[in-house]
């Protein structure tokens, strides 16, 4: 697949007919999006999620900072902290805590796992950005880890964050939680990172890059999204529920909710990559097309992609219908937030 | 520190007086070593360890192969299996199983953790060999992972092996083992890999490379060895003991034994690097001096290094004096094996 110019800074290349169609759709929908954005911004449940994040934010940031202290070897811990504490929306920790609270647990019970999930997410970003991988210079508006600390330190900081995540769940989860539950969470988290999870999705993603668009099917794209992004979001929700002692059917239902919003998240990510500027995103825009990556807009067009995202979000919210609306509000709000986000 | 020629293929460089002294010592001790080798080879307890390894080898290799099946995405699992099943002495799995059996447990109880320790060891080798790290082309006589599968796949295969290790312990440890014990093992394993273990040692090692020899103290060298190699050997032994339900004092005593043989292992490694050829080692010899790395021979001389290794082994064996000699035989034998190994 050849590169498409879809945002300032992206590579300009010769367009094939399919890409021209996508590009036209993009321009058309961007217009619609601009008109729709203000209305979406006041969606009630999205405000709930915003309030929830604001409410938990201080505790999460403090816990994250405490989880990786400044100690010897200083440079390694500095490198780990540089990326772990670089901001971000902390969606995974919030999901974990919200699911735990929805199932009758407390923030304290979920917090070590919430932090561990952010460590794992951070590890995946550090390694993804490496020169031999996506070769990204900026992340969340700051130079990437390897640009600041060098490639070898970035690899090792990622490794340390990954192993620390497991240690942290096992060591810091309150002893009031039965060991069997914590053990199950550790197994689930391990699976969601490895070859059947995040890393598996990343490998298929890499192998699909530059391939002819016809070779990358919607099935492959779904596999990539379900594993690269979905798995960690899913375990964020299910681990919170498990730690709270939720019934099996509730764990399954919440897992399904997370799969749906995870897929929606990625579809929206694909849409944003070719409709927003680098400034709006805080990272290089238009990169998917520039490297010939299969995306929802490139496979089914921009309007159909938008419809898919909306349907996924509707279905996800439907799953939460029978829970206490007050406790379910953050998860409902997150769904709308994902649908409406601009970066 | 400048490079010393100490084995075929190593970089030839101008020698300073200290290096000349080390080189002379090396030649002298190599002569003694050649004479002593046949006698060492028949040491009784070392034979016990050889027999123990031979006895367990088939089960360990089978368990390792089963632990990472050939599945989608095939290329990733192939890359993981390429390094995991590339042979090696399987010292860590053997230590784990032997310690478990010494404390009254079975091989079946220890096997998942034994496999996980080898996954972690393999991950550390794959990442260490990367171009941005040690940039090694060969490992155990075969091209390194990134030479075969490319740098990005090697990074991801390491990440997948690391997370799989934790999942595997949690999922595969027999349910007859109380969850609290398995959880403790997971925490210990996590700590021994991260910034306070293997990765921490690796970072200090990298930061010490090329530094003036006077700046790298024996304390720093001990830190590197205790963390880069010692931590994983220690947790191999203690996790086996914990899984068997050993008393705290036994876990501590066995941990101390492992620290001592771990340090001895690294001192001998330093000695071998500058006394053996690449062919004998199955990896590039003379590399420590070539890259100006601080080693025991470079800091205290070759004969003193040999004495330190012998003393560590004697002390380690002394700690096992009060156990059933038959059950302790593999651990006693491993100590002698480490002392006498030639590659």
């Amino acid at each position: 697949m050849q590169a498409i110019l879809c945002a300032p800074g992206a590579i300009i290349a010769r367009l094939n007919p399919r890409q021209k169609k996508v590009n036209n759709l993009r321009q058309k929908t961007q217009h619609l999006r601009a008109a729709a954005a203000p209305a979406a911004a006041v969606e009630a449940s999205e405000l709930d999620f915003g309030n929830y994040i604001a409410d938990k934010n201080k505790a999460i940031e403090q816990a994250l900072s405490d989880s990786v202290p400044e100690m010897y070897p200083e440079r390694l811990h500095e490198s780990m902290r540089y990326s772990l504490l670089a901001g971000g929306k902390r969606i995974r920790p919030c999901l974990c805590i919200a699911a735990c609270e929805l199932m009758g647990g407390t923030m304290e019970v979920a917090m070590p796992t919430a932090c561990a999930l952010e460590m794992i997410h951070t590890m995946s970003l550090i390694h993804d950005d490496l020169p031999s991988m996506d070769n990204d210079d900026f992340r969340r508006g700051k130079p990437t880890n390897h640009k600041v600390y060098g490639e070898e330190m970035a690899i090792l900081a990622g490794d340390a964050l990954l192993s620390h995540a497991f240690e942290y769940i096992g060591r810091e989860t309150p002893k009031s939680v039965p060991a069997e539950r914590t053990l199950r969470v550790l197994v689930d988290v391990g699976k969601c990172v490895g070859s059947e999870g995040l890393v598996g999705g990343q490998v298929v993603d890499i192998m699909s890059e530059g391939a002819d668009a016809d070779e990358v099917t919607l099935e492959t794209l779904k596999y990539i999204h379900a594993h690269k992004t979905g798995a960690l979001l899913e375990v964020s929700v299910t681990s919170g529920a498990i730690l709270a002692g939720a019934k099996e059917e509730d764990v399954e239902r919440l897992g399904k909710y997370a799969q749906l919003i995870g897929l929606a998240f990625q579809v929206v990510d694909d849409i944003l990559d070719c409709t927003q500027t680098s400034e709006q995103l805080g990272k290089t825009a238009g990169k998917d097309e520039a490297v010939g990556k299969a995306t929802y807009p490139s496979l089914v067009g921009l309007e159909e992609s938008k419809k898919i995202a909306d349907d996924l979000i509707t279905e996800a919210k439907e799953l939460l219908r029978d829970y206490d609306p007050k406790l379910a509000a953050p998860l409902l709000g997150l769904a709308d937030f994902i649908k409406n986000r601009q970066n």
Side-chain angles (χ1 to χ4, degrees), chain A residues 82-90 92 117-131 133-140 143-146 154-155 157-158 161 193 198 202 228-229 232 265-266 269 283:
Chain A
Y82 175 80
S83 293
L84 184 64
L85 307 178
K89 288 177 281 290
R90 311 305 189 194
R92 291 153 197 83
L117 293 162
E118 197 67 12
M119 291 177 209
I120 290 168
H121 176 56
T122 303
M123 174 284 295
S124 79
L125 300 181
I126 295 175
H127 283 189
D128 275 10
D129 288 338
L130 286 168
M133 309 272 273
D134 286 354
N135 195 21
D136 264 315
D137 291 350
F138 287 93
R139 165 75 66 183
R140 292 172 181 163
T144 44
N145 197 293
H146 66 272
I155 294 170
L161 282 169
V193 187
L198 204 155
Q202 174 76 351
K228 197 177 161 181
T229 317
L232 196 55
F265 184 91
Q266 200 61 50
D269 217 50
K283 62 179 181 182

Side-chain angles (χ1 to χ4, degrees), chain A residues 61-79:
Chain A
E61 292 299 329
Q62 185 61 51
L64 284 173
S65 180
D66 293 345
S67 71
V68 180
E70 296 168 270
M71 55 184 283
Y72 185 81
E74 284 83 7
R75 187 105 179 130
L76 171 63
H77 289 94
E78 202 184 304
S79 164

Side-chain angles (χ1 to χ4, degrees), chain A residues 149-175:
Chain A
Y149 295 95
E151 209 174 328
E152 56 189 351
M153 190 67 83
I155 294 170
L156 290 168
D159 292 348
L161 282 169
L162 180 52
S163 57
H164 192 52
F166 295 98
E167 178 197 353
Y168 203 70
I169 293 172
R171 179 160 54 83
E172 296 296 326
T173 299
K175 295 293 167 275

Side-chain angles (χ1 to χ4, degrees), chain A residues 96 109-118 168-169 173 185 189 239-240 243:
Chain A
C96 183
V109 159
M111 190 60 94
T113 300
C115 289
L117 293 162
E118 197 67 12
Y168 203 70
I169 293 172
T173 299
V185 166
V189 171
S239 63
L243 289 167

